[in-house]
Every structure is written in C-alpha cells, then in structure tokens.
Amino acid sequence: MDTPLRLEVIVASVRPERFAPVVADWFLRTVRAHPEFDTDVIDLAYTPLPVELTENEETAAYRGRLRDADAFVVVTSEYNHGYPASLKTAFDTAKHEWRAKPIAFVSYGGLSGGLRAVEQLRQVVAEIHMVSVRETVSFHQAKKRFDDTGDTRDGAAIDAAERMLHQLAWWARTLRAARAADPYPG
Ligand SMILES: Cc1cc2nc3c(=O)[nH]c(=O)nc-3n(C[C@H](O)[C@H](O)[C@H](O)COP(=O)(O)O)c2cc1C
C-alpha cells in the first residue's frame, strides 16, 4: 500500500510553437512535491503514435507505460471548442491499459480555459472505463497567468491543483487495491 502511485502526465499539444511546456512544467513541479506519486511524462510531441492506429514498437512501448500506471493527468489545450487530435489518437491507441484507473485534467486556453475540451474528454474516458476526477485545474488566458520563470500566481489554479491531486491519489490508491483484489470485469 505504501508503494508510490505511478502517475503518467500526458502532454497533449504537439504544435512546434506550443505553450504547453510552461503549463506542464509548472504542474510537474507541483506534483513532484507530493511523494505519494512517482511521476513521469508522456509528451505526445515526442511520442509519435500513428493516426491510423497501426501497431509498431513505439505504440507497444507506449502501451507498456500505460499498463504500469496507476493514474493519469492530461495537460491539454483547447482548439475550436475541442481537445487536440493528438490526444484522441493517444486514447485510441490503447484499450485495457486504461481500465479502472483515474484520470485528472489540467487545461488551458483562451476565455474558457480549456474547460470545453475537458468536458468532452470526460465522455471519452468514460467509454474506456476510466474514472475522471471532479476537480480540474484550468488557466484562462493562459499566457497571462505565468511569469518569465514559468511560475503562476493564479491562486484558484494553485488551490485546485492541491485538491485535484488529493482526489487523484484517493482514486488511484482505491482502484489499485480493488484491481489487485478482484480483476476489473471490463
Ligand atoms: C487551431 C486553434 C484553435 C483554438 N481554439 C481555441 C478555442 O476554441 N478556445 C480557446 O480557449 N482557445 C483556443 N485557441 C487558443 C489556444 O488555446 C492557445 O493558443 C493555446 O496556447 C494552445 O495551446 P498550445 O500552444 O500548447 O498548443 C486555439 C488555438 C488554435 C491554434
């Protein structure tokens, strides 16, 4: 029970000029202050997954990372009121690896802070037997929320991150024990 929870942080944007690393790096600094998580990053910009959903060595390695994880956080932007296509490919590339595991969201964008993308993602993750964590971290007008060092003074986001990580840890611990006691019937 004391083994740290294996957390994979998935960075969705693959645009060359993306803002994603600023948000992701801030979140990683936040989560690494929580010793209950053993955290790693799957940056989709450096994890080429075929949109045709064909199999190769990279998809097998990717699925292995997912299989070993107890919890996930997606760092996502919003494009045209939806989430990035790279993220849909990332979900569709695996199946059983996601099941009976929790997922939380850190979103950013313009006025809506990426929240429309997150609400769509809740539908997708329900279909692949995941539990989505209620608390969300969201940055609206994201580029104005971070200083030159990549830090933020957005108190609402800082508080939300703490609440979200507590909820994620509870789900991850609970579901890890449940999967071990009785394999998920999915
Ligand atoms: C194609 C495109 C569509 C966008 N649509 C939205 C949108 O619907 N809502 C929003 O809040 N921001 C929107 N934006 C702004 C992005 O959220 C913002 O540029 C953000 O930095 C994108 O993340 P990235 O730079 O990490 O890729 C859009 C940006 C792009 C490039």
Side-chain angles (χ1 to χ4, degrees):
M1 279 307 280
D2 289 341
T3 314
L5 299 159
R6 179 82 184 152
L7 170 64
E8 291 286 7
V9 175
I10 299 174
V11 182
S13 173
V14 297
R15 295 192 317 129
E17 67 274 41
R18 65 192 181 149
F19 187 66
V22 175
V23 183
D25 288 350
W26 167 80
F27 180 71
L28 286 167
R29 285 197 300 280
T30 303
V31 75
R32 284 185 171 136
H34 290 252
E36 65 268 38
F37 291 110
D38 166 24
T39 306
D40 210 342
V41 183
I42 297 176
D43 187 336
L44 297 182
Y46 304 110
T47 312
L49 300 171
V51 292
E52 302 88 345
L53 307 181
T54 46
E55 293 282 325
N56 61 31
E57 274 181 25
E58 277 162 331
T59 60
Y62 167 74
R63 288 207 323 274
R65 294 269 300 269
L66 303 184
R67 192 177 307 121
D68 292 343
D70 299 303
F72 301 92
V73 171
V74 163
V75 177
T76 188
S77 48
E78 178 173 304
Y79 304 146
N80 297 322
H81 294 197
Y83 55 88
S86 51
L87 196 50
K88 189 63 164 61
T89 300
F91 282 122
D92 296 343
T93 295
K95 188 173 180 180
H96 296 275
E97 295 84 350
W98 299 114
R99 292 187 175 180
K101 294 179 182 177
I103 186 163
F105 302 104
V106 175
S107 69
Y108 59 96
L111 275 181
S112 79
L115 289 171
R116 289 173 290 217
V118 170
E119 291 310 305
Q120 292 182 6
L121 284 165
R122 290 188 195 280
Q123 297 182 14
V124 173
V125 301
E127 178 60 16
I128 50 177
H129 303 245
M130 301 188 86
V131 177
S132 74
V133 169
R134 189 271 183 190
E135 203 71 43
T136 304
V137 180
S138 163
F139 293 98
H140 67 100
Q141 297 189 305
K143 287 172 190 157
K144 295 184 181 164
R145 305 285 153 210
F146 291 87
D147 64 23
D148 291 344
T149 69
D151 235 331
T152 183
R153 292 185 182 201
D154 186 330
I158 293 166
D159 289 350
E162 293 303 318
R163 284 196 299 275
M164 187 187 86
L165 287 170
H166 281 127
Q167 292 167 13
L168 183 67
W170 188 92
W171 278 113
R173 265 195 312 273
T174 302
L175 292 177
R176 181 171 67 181
R179 288 194 308 275
D182 185 9
Y184 180 69

